[in-house]
Amino acid sequence: MADAFITICLLLVASAATVAVAVRDPARQALVLSVLGLALAALFTALQAPDVALSQLAVGSALTPLLILLSVRKVRRRGRNEDADR
């Protein structure tokens, strides 16, 4: 049973990582990165590393995608303001 869960987690991690690379929009990449972080946290839990899983949940699933989304929003807003000034 545990081997099946680990296999499913590995397949989910591989597919989420592939989608993250294939998506071109940075905002969508951040969302896929969040899903990838959740899949990695599940994998770490299955591999009996709960401390690493909690760190992955905090940083990889929440903090990093949030910072990326905020950065993308600021860059897009700054681009619109420069276009309006011209």
Side-chain angles (χ1 to χ4, degrees):
M1 182 69 177
D3 290 337
F5 184 67
I6 291 172
T7 304
I8 291 170
C9 288
L10 284 171
L11 290 172
L12 187 59
V13 167
S15 62
T18 303
V19 171
V21 171
V23 172
R24 293 286 184 197
D25 183 35
R28 290 185 184 180
Q29 281 179 339
L31 294 175
V32 174
L33 184 64
S34 181
V35 172
L36 176 62
L38 289 172
L40 282 170
L43 178 64
F44 292 144
T45 302
L47 295 175
Q48 299 178 354
D51 52 342
V52 179
L54 287 173
S55 299
Q56 179 62 34
L57 275 175
V59 176
S61 299
L63 189 61
T64 303
L66 178 64
L67 289 174
I68 292 171
L69 285 173
L70 290 173
S71 300
V72 167
R73 181 178 175 195
K74 185 160 185 128
V75 166
R76 287 182 179 169
R77 185 181 293 166
R78 184 173 288 167
R80 275 191 243 136
N81 289 341
E82 288 177 1
D83 289 342
D85 290 341
R86 289 182 191 178

